[in-house]
Amino acid sequence: MGADGFVAFVGVKIPLDPDDEETLDAWGEESHPDAEAATAAGLEVWTGRFTDGEDHYAMVGRLLGTFGLEGDSHRAVPPEEIGRIAEEVGPVLARLGHRDPPVLHLQFEAQY
């Protein structure tokens, strides 16, 4: 993102080592084995960080939207849709080895 915004995502959030450039690049290009497995299983992958100097992360599951000046300004998502998505991606995440259940992540990303 080039401007401040936030991401709405149902799934799991994975911290990434900021000193491991190879892993960061692989996740960003979706060529990391875990990212490839996720996309092959029909899930989406999002990578980012809060702002410059902060920890990097990947999210695996289902993207609900990106919001801000360079994204959507609004989207209404009924609770039952969030629940349906969580129920849909949960078993897939488990098959891929993720222990945590999917949750709704609202992640702010500041311009840097």
XYZ file of all heavy atoms in Angstrom:
854
model
N 0.841 -1.185 0.000
C 0.000 0.000 0.000
C 0.878 1.236 0.000
O 1.868 1.291 0.698
C -0.855 0.025 1.266
C -2.008 -0.913 1.260
S -2.997 -0.640 2.746
C -4.251 -1.803 2.433
N 0.497 2.257 -0.744
C 1.241 3.486 -0.772
C 0.702 4.530 0.177
O 1.366 5.495 0.494
N -0.514 4.398 0.621
C -1.124 5.344 1.552
C -1.636 4.576 2.755
O -1.827 3.370 2.699
C -2.269 6.086 0.863
N -1.842 5.316 3.857
C -2.376 4.662 5.047
C -3.661 3.918 4.706
O -4.480 4.400 3.924
C -2.690 5.694 6.132
C -1.448 6.343 6.708
O -0.339 5.882 6.402
O -1.597 7.311 7.465
N -3.809 2.758 5.298
C -5.010 1.975 5.074
C -5.034 0.788 5.999
O -4.161 0.631 6.858
N -6.053 -0.030 5.852
C -6.069 -1.264 6.628
C -6.639 -2.395 5.806
O -7.291 -2.196 4.787
C -6.789 -1.089 7.972
C -8.280 -1.051 7.894
C -9.032 -2.210 8.049
C -8.947 0.140 7.697
C -10.409 -2.177 7.995
C -10.326 0.174 7.646
C -11.062 -0.981 7.793
N -6.316 -3.584 6.273
C -6.693 -4.822 5.608
C -7.673 -5.558 6.509
O -7.467 -5.632 7.726
C -5.440 -5.700 5.384
C -5.813 -7.034 4.779
C -4.430 -4.977 4.529
N -8.736 -6.082 5.924
C -9.671 -6.956 6.643
C -9.470 -8.359 6.085
O -9.584 -8.577 4.871
C -11.109 -6.488 6.444
N -9.165 -9.302 6.964
C -8.750 -10.640 6.535
C -9.244 -11.661 7.543
O -9.091 -11.471 8.745
C -7.214 -10.674 6.479
C -6.649 -11.740 5.602
C -6.297 -11.471 4.291
C -6.454 -13.017 6.082
C -5.756 -12.459 3.474
C -5.919 -14.012 5.288
C -5.571 -13.727 3.972
N -9.818 -12.747 7.072
C -10.222 -13.856 7.936
C -9.221 -14.980 7.724
O -9.078 -15.493 6.612
C -11.651 -14.347 7.623
C -12.005 -15.559 8.468
C -12.661 -13.235 7.849
N -8.522 -15.338 8.790
C -7.523 -16.395 8.679
C -6.564 -16.372 9.839
O -6.936 -16.012 10.955
N -5.323 -16.735 9.567
C -4.275 -16.749 10.585
C -3.198 -15.749 10.182
O -2.982 -15.469 9.003
C -3.658 -18.149 10.769
C -4.687 -19.121 11.324
C -3.059 -18.682 9.476
N -2.536 -15.200 11.199
C -1.452 -14.238 10.999
C -0.155 -14.885 11.455
O -0.068 -15.416 12.563
C -1.738 -12.962 11.797
C -0.745 -11.861 11.553
C -1.175 -10.609 12.318
C -0.169 -9.503 12.157
N -0.558 -8.310 12.932
N 0.837 -14.851 10.584
C 2.115 -15.516 10.829
C 3.211 -14.456 10.911
O 3.441 -13.727 9.934
C 2.430 -16.495 9.679
C 1.291 -17.491 9.502
C 3.765 -17.186 9.895
C 1.290 -18.179 8.156
N 3.908 -14.347 12.045
C 5.023 -13.402 12.105
C 6.182 -13.886 11.238
O 6.442 -15.084 11.153
C 5.405 -13.377 13.586
C 4.810 -14.600 14.184
C 3.693 -15.059 13.294
N 6.837 -12.942 10.567
C 7.975 -13.275 9.709
C 9.230 -12.598 10.257
O 9.175 -11.472 10.744
C 7.727 -12.812 8.269
C 6.497 -13.390 7.578
C 6.337 -12.777 6.195
C 6.573 -14.903 7.489
N 10.344 -13.285 10.145
C 11.620 -12.773 10.633
C 12.079 -11.618 9.741
O 12.355 -11.821 8.553
C 12.656 -13.897 10.625
C 14.012 -13.480 11.137
O 14.225 -12.285 11.434
O 14.885 -14.361 11.253
N 12.179 -10.396 10.295
C 12.559 -9.246 9.464
C 13.997 -9.324 8.948
O 14.350 -8.621 8.001
C 12.370 -8.049 10.394
C 12.487 -8.606 11.762
C 11.960 -10.016 11.686
N 14.825 -10.182 9.538
C 16.217 -10.309 9.114
C 16.416 -11.374 8.035
O 17.519 -11.534 7.519
C 17.107 -10.640 10.321
C 17.093 -9.520 11.354
O 17.044 -8.339 10.944
O 17.106 -9.822 12.558
N 15.363 -12.097 7.700
C 15.451 -13.166 6.706
C 14.857 -12.670 5.386
O 13.701 -12.920 5.062
C 14.720 -14.407 7.216
C 14.888 -15.607 6.316
O 15.357 -15.451 5.164
O 14.535 -16.718 6.765
N 15.679 -11.948 4.621
C 15.215 -11.343 3.365
C 14.691 -12.381 2.371
O 13.729 -12.136 1.651
C 16.331 -10.520 2.713
C 16.651 -9.237 3.440
C 15.527 -8.219 3.385
O 14.798 -8.170 2.367
O 15.365 -7.488 4.372
N 15.338 -13.541 2.345
C 14.925 -14.589 1.409
C 13.490 -15.042 1.705
O 12.669 -15.183 0.796
C 15.885 -15.773 1.492
C 15.632 -16.834 0.445
C 16.681 -17.932 0.485
O 17.878 -17.632 0.658
O 16.277 -19.098 0.333
N 13.196 -15.250 2.982
C 11.843 -15.667 3.373
C 10.839 -14.552 3.119
O 9.735 -14.807 2.618
C 11.812 -16.102 4.850
O 12.655 -17.250 4.991
C 10.408 -16.455 5.303
N 11.200 -13.309 3.454
C 10.297 -12.180 3.205
C 9.959 -12.074 1.720
O 8.792 -11.899 1.350
C 10.917 -10.877 3.699
C 11.101 -10.712 5.199
C 11.862 -9.424 5.499
C 9.767 -10.735 5.921
N 10.981 -12.175 0.883
C 10.750 -12.109 -0.563
C 9.887 -13.268 -1.048
O 8.974 -13.073 -1.859
C 12.082 -12.120 -1.323
C 12.874 -10.833 -1.157
O 12.297 -9.820 -0.708
O 14.087 -10.849 -1.460
N 10.160 -14.462 -0.552
C 9.384 -15.638 -0.981
C 7.922 -15.501 -0.597
O 7.039 -15.822 -1.392
C 9.991 -16.914 -0.384
N 7.637 -15.030 0.622
C 6.238 -14.822 1.012
C 5.605 -13.735 0.143
O 4.474 -13.878 -0.309
C 6.134 -14.467 2.489
C 6.005 -15.648 3.386
C 6.972 -16.215 4.147
C 4.824 -16.421 3.618
N 6.477 -17.288 4.833
C 5.152 -17.440 4.526
C 3.514 -16.359 3.143
C 4.228 -18.374 4.981
C 2.590 -17.289 3.586
C 2.953 -18.285 4.487
N 6.337 -12.643 -0.085
C 5.804 -11.543 -0.889
C 5.509 -11.939 -2.319
O 4.576 -11.420 -2.935
N 6.298 -12.858 -2.847
C 6.098 -13.346 -4.220
C 5.210 -14.587 -4.265
O 4.978 -15.140 -5.341
C 7.463 -13.668 -4.849
C 8.368 -12.457 -4.968
C 9.820 -12.821 -5.239
O 10.148 -14.028 -5.318
O 10.626 -11.884 -5.346
N 4.765 -15.029 -3.096
C 3.956 -16.248 -2.941
C 4.669 -17.471 -3.488
O 4.036 -18.406 -3.987
C 2.562 -16.073 -3.543
C 1.738 -15.029 -2.816
C 0.308 -14.907 -3.296
O -0.169 -15.768 -4.061
O -0.341 -13.935 -2.890
N 6.019 -17.463 -3.395
C 6.789 -18.634 -3.809
C 7.310 -19.430 -2.609
O 7.922 -20.482 -2.802
C 7.967 -18.204 -4.696
O 8.859 -17.361 -3.983
N 7.057 -18.942 -1.400
C 7.411 -19.704 -0.198
C 6.557 -20.976 -0.206
O 5.379 -20.937 -0.593
C 7.123 -18.871 1.049
C 7.600 -19.498 2.314
N 6.863 -20.452 2.977
C 8.730 -19.318 3.036
C 7.522 -20.830 4.060
N 8.661 -20.153 4.118
N 7.108 -22.119 0.191
C 6.324 -23.364 0.154
C 4.984 -23.268 0.885
O 3.976 -23.814 0.401
C 7.243 -24.389 0.827
C 8.618 -23.858 0.605
C 8.497 -22.355 0.627
N 4.935 -22.566 2.023
C 3.663 -22.434 2.742
C 2.671 -21.555 1.985
O 1.465 -21.815 1.989
C 3.895 -21.870 4.150
C 4.631 -22.850 5.047
O 4.651 -24.062 4.736
O 5.197 -22.400 6.062
N 3.163 -20.508 1.326
C 2.298 -19.650 0.515
C 1.788 -20.411 -0.710
O 0.613 -20.301 -1.068
C 3.047 -18.386 0.095
N 2.674 -21.179 -1.339
C 2.261 -21.985 -2.494
C 1.209 -23.010 -2.103
O 0.231 -23.214 -2.830
C 3.468 -22.680 -3.116
C 4.387 -21.751 -3.855
C 5.585 -22.458 -4.465
O 5.980 -23.547 -3.976
O 6.141 -21.905 -5.436
N 1.397 -23.651 -0.955
C 0.420 -24.644 -0.488
C -0.924 -23.981 -0.206
O -1.979 -24.539 -0.530
C 0.943 -25.356 0.759
N -0.876 -22.793 0.377
C -2.118 -22.075 0.693
C -2.871 -21.707 -0.583
O -4.081 -21.938 -0.683
C -1.815 -20.831 1.522
N -2.177 -21.133 -1.550
C -2.867 -20.735 -2.778
C -3.344 -21.966 -3.564
O -4.413 -21.927 -4.161
C -1.977 -19.823 -3.655
O -0.748 -20.480 -3.937
C -1.705 -18.500 -2.953
N -2.557 -23.048 -3.536
C -2.987 -24.273 -4.206
C -4.245 -24.846 -3.566
O -5.059 -25.484 -4.234
C -1.863 -25.310 -4.182
N -4.420 -24.584 -2.265
C -5.605 -25.065 -1.544
C -6.778 -24.093 -1.658
O -7.825 -24.309 -1.048
C -5.257 -25.287 -0.072
N -6.601 -23.019 -2.425
C -7.697 -22.074 -2.644
C -7.751 -20.930 -1.642
O -8.731 -20.181 -1.620
N -6.714 -20.764 -0.836
C -6.686 -19.666 0.125
C -5.917 -18.487 -0.461
O -5.233 -18.614 -1.465
C -6.026 -20.121 1.430
C -6.725 -21.261 2.167
C -5.951 -21.632 3.420
C -8.168 -20.890 2.498
N -6.061 -17.357 0.196
C -5.346 -16.156 -0.223
C -4.241 -15.855 0.775
O -4.314 -16.251 1.937
C -6.314 -14.981 -0.316
C -7.357 -15.183 -1.397
C -8.456 -14.146 -1.366
O -9.248 -14.153 -0.406
O -8.507 -13.331 -2.300
N -3.236 -15.131 0.315
C -2.091 -14.764 1.136
C -1.927 -13.247 1.067
O -2.015 -12.654 -0.020
C -0.810 -15.457 0.635
C 0.410 -14.959 1.390
C -0.934 -16.969 0.753
N -1.689 -12.635 2.222
C -1.401 -11.204 2.287
C -0.149 -11.028 3.129
O -0.023 -11.646 4.183
C -2.566 -10.463 2.937
C -2.320 -8.985 3.024
C -1.683 -8.315 4.035
C -2.682 -8.010 2.065
N -1.629 -6.983 3.745
C -2.239 -6.759 2.539
C -3.335 -8.072 0.835
C -2.429 -5.588 1.844
C -3.536 -6.892 0.142
C -3.094 -5.658 0.647
N 0.776 -10.207 2.659
C 1.967 -9.902 3.456
C 2.050 -8.406 3.671
O 1.589 -7.611 2.843
C 3.256 -10.379 2.765
O 3.368 -9.762 1.485
C 3.275 -11.888 2.614
N 2.632 -8.026 4.798
C 2.781 -6.610 5.078
C 3.475 -6.377 6.399
O 4.057 -7.291 6.997
N 3.391 -5.130 6.839
C 3.864 -4.728 8.156
C 3.191 -3.417 8.505
O 2.741 -2.682 7.624
C 5.381 -4.627 8.215
C 5.988 -3.602 7.303
C 7.484 -3.647 7.441
N 8.115 -2.841 6.410
C 9.375 -2.519 6.419
N 10.146 -2.929 7.405
N 9.899 -1.792 5.459
N 3.156 -3.115 9.794
C 2.456 -1.925 10.266
C 3.057 -0.669 9.656
O 2.367 0.167 9.100
C 2.477 -1.883 11.798
C 2.007 -0.587 12.384
C 0.713 -0.161 12.191
C 2.865 0.212 13.114
C 0.267 1.051 12.711
C 2.440 1.411 13.649
C 1.144 1.830 13.442
N 4.361 -0.529 9.755
C 5.070 0.606 9.177
C 6.559 0.280 9.106
O 6.996 -0.755 9.609
C 4.817 1.912 9.968
O 5.292 3.022 9.215
C 5.464 1.890 11.335
N 7.321 1.144 8.502
C 8.759 0.936 8.360
C 9.390 0.672 9.723
O 9.122 1.377 10.689
C 9.385 2.170 7.716
C 10.793 1.929 7.232
O 11.132 0.764 6.961
O 11.549 2.907 7.135
N 10.201 -0.365 9.802
C 10.863 -0.710 11.053
C 10.071 -1.649 11.940
O 10.588 -2.131 12.944
N 8.839 -1.918 11.604
C 8.008 -2.836 12.392
C 8.127 -4.252 11.847
O 8.658 -4.477 10.754
C 6.539 -2.392 12.367
C 6.291 -1.054 13.025
C 6.487 -1.088 14.526
O 6.125 -2.094 15.168
O 7.002 -0.089 15.060
N 7.599 -5.201 12.601
C 7.667 -6.604 12.204
C 6.830 -6.884 10.961
O 5.765 -6.302 10.765
C 7.187 -7.505 13.347
C 8.155 -7.492 14.526
O 9.331 -7.143 14.321
O 7.727 -7.834 15.630
N 7.327 -7.798 10.158
C 6.620 -8.267 8.968
C 5.706 -9.428 9.350
O 5.954 -10.124 10.330
C 7.629 -8.763 7.917
C 8.490 -7.679 7.366
N 8.268 -7.110 6.144
C 9.595 -7.069 7.876
C 9.190 -6.193 5.914
N 10.003 -6.155 6.946
N 4.685 -9.650 8.548
C 3.767 -10.762 8.797
C 3.190 -11.247 7.471
O 3.247 -10.553 6.454
C 2.627 -10.339 9.730
C 1.797 -9.218 9.156
C 0.756 -9.479 8.275
C 2.076 -7.896 9.463
C 0.016 -8.457 7.719
C 1.353 -6.869 8.920
C 0.322 -7.147 8.050
O -0.400 -6.132 7.486
N 2.648 -12.438 7.522
C 1.841 -12.974 6.424
C 0.511 -13.379 7.019
O 0.438 -13.806 8.177
C 2.526 -14.179 5.794
N -0.548 -13.219 6.262
C -1.857 -13.728 6.661
C -2.302 -14.719 5.592
O -2.087 -14.492 4.396
C -2.865 -12.595 6.830
C -2.578 -11.743 8.049
S -3.864 -10.552 8.470
C -3.464 -9.224 7.346
N -2.892 -15.805 6.048
C -3.359 -16.862 5.158
C -4.827 -17.112 5.464
O -5.200 -17.296 6.626
C -2.540 -18.160 5.362
C -3.073 -19.283 4.485
C -1.062 -17.919 5.089
N -5.660 -17.097 4.452
C -7.096 -17.320 4.626
C -7.867 -16.663 3.504
O -7.655 -16.961 2.329
N -8.722 -15.698 3.868
C -9.562 -15.035 2.862
C -9.547 -13.523 3.109
O -9.864 -13.052 4.192
C -10.988 -15.550 2.943
C -11.919 -15.015 1.902
C -11.807 -15.713 0.554
N -12.143 -17.117 0.676
C -11.374 -18.116 0.240
N -10.236 -17.872 -0.347
N -11.741 -19.357 0.380
N -9.164 -12.774 2.081
C -9.134 -11.319 2.130
C -10.549 -10.777 1.970
O -11.245 -11.110 1.008
C -8.235 -10.781 1.009
C -8.131 -9.274 0.866
C -7.402 -8.674 2.074
C -7.414 -8.918 -0.427
N -10.974 -9.941 2.919
C -12.280 -9.292 2.816
C -12.179 -7.951 2.111
O -13.139 -7.502 1.497
C -12.895 -9.078 4.203
C -13.247 -10.331 4.983
C -13.815 -9.960 6.342
C -14.230 -11.197 4.215
N -11.032 -7.307 2.230
C -10.857 -6.035 1.536
C -9.670 -5.256 2.051
O -9.146 -5.532 3.125
N -9.265 -4.286 1.250
C -8.250 -3.320 1.652
C -8.938 -1.959 1.638
O -9.657 -1.629 0.694
C -7.045 -3.324 0.693
O -7.495 -3.064 -0.632
C -6.332 -4.670 0.729
N -8.709 -1.176 2.678
C -9.460 0.054 2.868
C -8.520 1.233 3.073
O -7.509 1.109 3.758
C -10.385 -0.095 4.078
C -11.370 -1.210 3.906
C -11.021 -2.505 4.266
C -12.608 -0.989 3.344
C -11.907 -3.555 4.083
C -13.494 -2.035 3.155
C -13.143 -3.326 3.524
N -8.856 2.337 2.467
C -8.062 3.551 2.567
C -8.149 4.314 1.259
O -8.961 3.998 0.384
N -7.284 5.317 1.116
C -7.317 6.139 -0.090
C -7.064 5.335 -1.350
O -7.582 5.655 -2.412
C -6.287 7.274 0.014
C -6.625 8.359 1.030
C -5.489 9.364 1.122
C -7.925 9.049 0.654
N -6.250 4.288 -1.252
C -5.944 3.474 -2.425
C -6.724 2.159 -2.440
O -6.421 1.269 -3.223
C -4.433 3.200 -2.484
C -3.637 4.464 -2.716
C -2.144 4.210 -2.825
O -1.703 3.066 -2.638
O -1.425 5.179 -3.097
N -7.701 2.037 -1.579
C -8.521 0.832 -1.523
C -9.983 1.203 -1.426
O -10.395 2.295 -1.820
N -10.764 0.294 -0.916
C -12.186 0.545 -0.735
C -12.412 1.558 0.378
O -11.604 1.691 1.301
C -12.908 -0.762 -0.361
C -12.841 -1.800 -1.471
O -12.835 -1.409 -2.649
O -12.784 -2.999 -1.150
N -13.519 2.253 0.308
C -13.862 3.181 1.386
C -14.851 2.551 2.360
O -14.940 2.971 3.506
C -14.450 4.478 0.813
O -15.643 4.199 0.105
N -15.562 1.511 1.894
C -16.564 0.884 2.762
C -16.940 -0.485 2.205
O -16.980 -0.682 0.990
C -17.818 1.763 2.817
C -18.941 1.127 3.568
N -19.954 0.420 2.957
C -19.201 1.075 4.891
C -20.796 -0.025 3.871
N -20.365 0.347 5.050
N -17.213 -1.372 3.108
C -17.798 -2.660 2.747
C -18.538 -3.178 3.960
O -17.980 -3.202 5.053
C -16.743 -3.677 2.326
C -17.382 -5.022 2.010
C -16.460 -5.992 1.333
N -17.234 -7.211 1.080
C -16.745 -8.428 1.172
N -15.486 -8.618 1.470
N -17.508 -9.474 0.942
N -19.763 -3.578 3.792
C -20.543 -4.167 4.877
C -20.450 -5.682 4.772
O -20.722 -6.256 3.712
C -21.997 -3.717 4.791
N -20.049 -6.317 5.864
C -19.912 -7.770 5.885
C -20.747 -8.284 7.062
O -20.382 -8.076 8.218
C -18.439 -8.208 6.050
C -18.325 -9.721 6.010
C -17.565 -7.570 4.984
N -21.853 -8.948 6.786
C -22.683 -9.472 7.872
C -21.921 -10.503 8.706
O -21.060 -11.231 8.185
C -23.857 -10.139 7.142
C -23.818 -9.618 5.742
C -22.397 -9.255 5.463
N -22.219 -10.575 9.995
C -21.533 -11.532 10.862
C -21.614 -12.969 10.357
O -20.644 -13.724 10.463
C -22.245 -11.388 12.206
C -22.924 -10.071 12.155
C -23.199 -9.785 10.715
N -22.745 -13.329 9.774
C -22.877 -14.703 9.290
C -21.932 -14.986 8.124
O -21.479 -16.113 7.945
C -24.326 -15.045 8.924
C -24.971 -14.161 7.897
C -25.631 -12.904 8.464
O -25.543 -12.629 9.665
O -26.241 -12.185 7.652
N -21.599 -13.969 7.327
C -20.638 -14.178 6.235
C -19.239 -14.392 6.802
O -18.498 -15.257 6.332
C -20.629 -12.997 5.265
C -19.682 -13.221 4.098
C -19.693 -12.101 3.073
O -20.581 -11.238 3.105
O -18.779 -12.107 2.227
N -18.871 -13.614 7.823
C -17.569 -13.800 8.460
C -17.490 -15.203 9.061
O -16.491 -15.902 8.901
C -17.313 -12.714 9.530
C -17.233 -11.349 8.853
C -16.044 -13.021 10.325
C -17.248 -10.184 9.810
N -18.574 -15.637 9.718
C -18.618 -16.985 10.280
C -18.520 -18.058 9.217
O -17.807 -19.054 9.383
N -19.213 -17.849 8.106
C -19.178 -18.828 7.002
C -17.773 -18.935 6.437
O -17.261 -20.029 6.178
C -20.164 -18.424 5.903
C -20.197 -19.393 4.724
C -21.016 -18.877 3.546
N -20.599 -17.576 3.059
C -19.495 -17.335 2.342
N -18.675 -18.329 2.031
N -19.209 -16.117 1.915
N -17.118 -17.789 6.255
C -15.749 -17.798 5.724
C -14.818 -18.513 6.696
O -13.988 -19.337 6.290
C -15.266 -16.363 5.427
C -16.074 -15.774 4.269
C -13.770 -16.342 5.124
C -15.869 -14.285 4.063
N -14.945 -18.213 7.993
C -14.096 -18.867 8.997
C -14.320 -20.379 8.982
O -13.361 -21.154 9.062
C -14.363 -18.287 10.382
N -15.574 -20.814 8.875
C -15.874 -22.246 8.819
C -15.318 -22.879 7.544
O -14.910 -24.036 7.542
C -17.378 -22.476 8.900
C -17.956 -22.210 10.277
C -19.465 -22.364 10.319
O -20.077 -22.777 9.302
O -20.037 -22.056 11.372
N -15.288 -22.110 6.468
C -14.800 -22.609 5.181
C -13.275 -22.745 5.185
O -12.737 -23.745 4.706
C -15.237 -21.612 4.103
C -14.992 -21.995 2.692
C -15.519 -20.902 1.763
O -16.747 -20.845 1.564
O -14.692 -20.116 1.256
N -12.575 -21.735 5.709
C -11.110 -21.770 5.646
C -10.485 -22.542 6.806
O -9.352 -23.023 6.681
C -10.493 -20.352 5.555
C -11.019 -19.609 4.343
C -10.691 -19.556 6.806
N -11.206 -22.702 7.901
C -10.658 -23.384 9.071
C -10.121 -24.777 8.790
O -8.958 -25.078 9.123
N -10.908 -25.656 8.181
C -10.403 -27.003 7.887
C -9.219 -27.000 6.918
O -8.316 -27.830 7.028
C -11.609 -27.721 7.270
C -12.797 -26.951 7.720
C -12.338 -25.538 7.869
N -9.210 -26.066 5.980
C -8.100 -25.982 5.025
C -6.832 -25.562 5.763
O -5.757 -26.138 5.563
C -8.430 -25.009 3.874
C -7.270 -24.936 2.886
C -9.710 -25.423 3.168
N -6.948 -24.559 6.622
C -5.798 -24.130 7.419
C -5.274 -25.279 8.280
O -4.066 -25.488 8.380
C -6.172 -22.936 8.299
C -6.412 -21.616 7.568
C -7.069 -20.605 8.493
C -5.113 -21.074 6.994
N -6.181 -26.026 8.878
C -5.774 -27.165 9.715
C -5.020 -28.203 8.889
O -4.004 -28.741 9.332
C -6.989 -27.773 10.403
N -5.522 -28.495 7.686
C -4.843 -29.455 6.808
C -3.439 -28.982 6.441
O -2.540 -29.792 6.212
C -5.642 -29.678 5.516
C -6.718 -30.716 5.620
C -7.206 -31.199 4.261
N -7.432 -30.187 3.253
C -8.551 -29.494 3.093
N -9.575 -29.690 3.895
N -8.663 -28.601 2.125
N -3.264 -27.662 6.384
C -1.957 -27.095 6.042
C -1.039 -26.988 7.259
O 0.083 -26.522 7.137
C -2.134 -25.719 5.395
C -2.847 -25.712 4.041
C -3.074 -24.278 3.574
C -2.053 -26.494 3.000
N -1.540 -27.398 8.436
C -0.708 -27.425 9.624
C -0.839 -26.244 10.555
O -0.101 -26.142 11.535
N -1.774 -25.347 10.296
C -1.984 -24.201 11.186
C -2.832 -24.637 12.377
O -3.912 -25.201 12.202
C -2.658 -23.045 10.444
C -1.824 -22.516 9.332
N -0.759 -21.671 9.525
C -1.887 -22.734 7.986
C -0.198 -21.382 8.369
N -0.862 -22.020 7.413
N -2.343 -24.375 13.569
C -3.037 -24.806 14.784
C -4.102 -23.824 15.240
O -5.087 -24.203 15.856
C -2.034 -25.016 15.914
C -1.096 -26.163 15.638
C -0.157 -26.371 16.779
N 0.762 -27.456 16.468
C 1.681 -27.888 17.270
N 1.826 -27.323 18.444
N 2.461 -28.867 16.919
N -3.876 -22.537 14.972
C -4.834 -21.517 15.418
C -6.049 -21.502 14.510
O -5.924 -21.646 13.284
C -4.174 -20.133 15.416
C -3.058 -20.019 16.435
O -3.143 -20.702 17.484
O -2.120 -19.253 16.184
N -7.226 -21.269 15.074
C -8.423 -21.146 14.240
C -8.415 -19.799 13.516
O -7.766 -18.851 13.968
C -9.566 -21.218 15.257
C -8.972 -20.687 16.516
C -7.534 -21.126 16.497
N -9.123 -19.704 12.416
C -9.182 -18.427 11.712
C -9.966 -17.400 12.530
O -10.950 -17.748 13.190
C -9.915 -18.765 10.412
C -10.702 -19.987 10.717
C -9.921 -20.734 11.760
N -9.502 -16.165 12.489
C -10.192 -15.055 13.146
C -10.216 -13.879 12.176
O -9.503 -13.860 11.176
C -9.514 -14.641 14.479
C -9.573 -15.761 15.496
C -8.089 -14.194 14.246
N -11.024 -12.891 12.501
C -11.086 -11.663 11.716
C -9.929 -10.766 12.142
O -9.826 -10.381 13.306
C -12.417 -10.947 11.927
C -12.549 -9.575 11.272
C -12.429 -9.664 9.756
C -13.870 -8.931 11.678
N -9.050 -10.440 11.197
C -7.936 -9.522 11.441
C -8.260 -8.191 10.768
O -8.606 -8.173 9.576
C -6.632 -10.063 10.838
C -6.154 -11.312 11.474
N -5.360 -11.327 12.592
C -6.369 -12.612 11.149
C -5.097 -12.576 12.928
N -5.697 -13.375 12.074
N -8.141 -7.111 11.522
C -8.239 -5.758 10.973
C -6.874 -5.133 11.205
O -6.561 -4.707 12.313
C -9.348 -4.971 11.663
C -10.741 -5.599 11.562
C -11.741 -4.826 12.406
C -11.189 -5.660 10.112
N -6.061 -5.121 10.181
C -4.652 -4.731 10.305
C -4.420 -3.379 9.660
O -4.584 -3.210 8.450
C -3.763 -5.790 9.630
C -2.298 -5.442 9.606
C -1.670 -5.456 10.984
O -1.827 -6.417 11.726
N -0.975 -4.385 11.340
N -4.002 -2.397 10.463
C -3.644 -1.085 9.954
C -2.246 -1.141 9.356
O -1.357 -1.796 9.898
C -3.681 -0.046 11.077
C -3.334 1.348 10.613
C -4.223 2.068 9.844
C -2.119 1.916 10.948
C -3.900 3.353 9.413
C -1.788 3.196 10.504
C -2.687 3.911 9.743
N -2.068 -0.485 8.212
C -0.752 -0.380 7.590
C -0.526 1.093 7.257
O -1.262 1.680 6.466
C -0.668 -1.231 6.328
C -0.718 -2.714 6.616
C -0.499 -3.573 5.394
O -0.493 -3.049 4.265
O -0.338 -4.789 5.573
N 0.484 1.680 7.909
C 0.786 3.093 7.700
C 1.730 3.263 6.517
O 2.560 2.400 6.243
C 1.423 3.673 8.954
N 1.590 4.379 5.849
C 2.480 4.688 4.724
C 3.891 4.863 5.255
O 4.109 5.444 6.311
C 2.021 5.965 4.052
C 2.891 6.350 2.880
C 2.392 7.623 2.194
O 1.412 8.220 2.611
N 3.080 8.027 1.158
N 4.837 4.337 4.517
C 6.245 4.539 4.867
C 7.099 4.641 3.643
O 6.668 4.367 2.560
C 6.770 3.431 5.794
C 6.617 2.034 5.258
C 7.619 1.445 4.525
C 5.463 1.288 5.508
C 7.492 0.145 4.054
C 5.336 -0.003 5.043
C 6.348 -0.569 4.327
O 6.226 -1.845 3.853
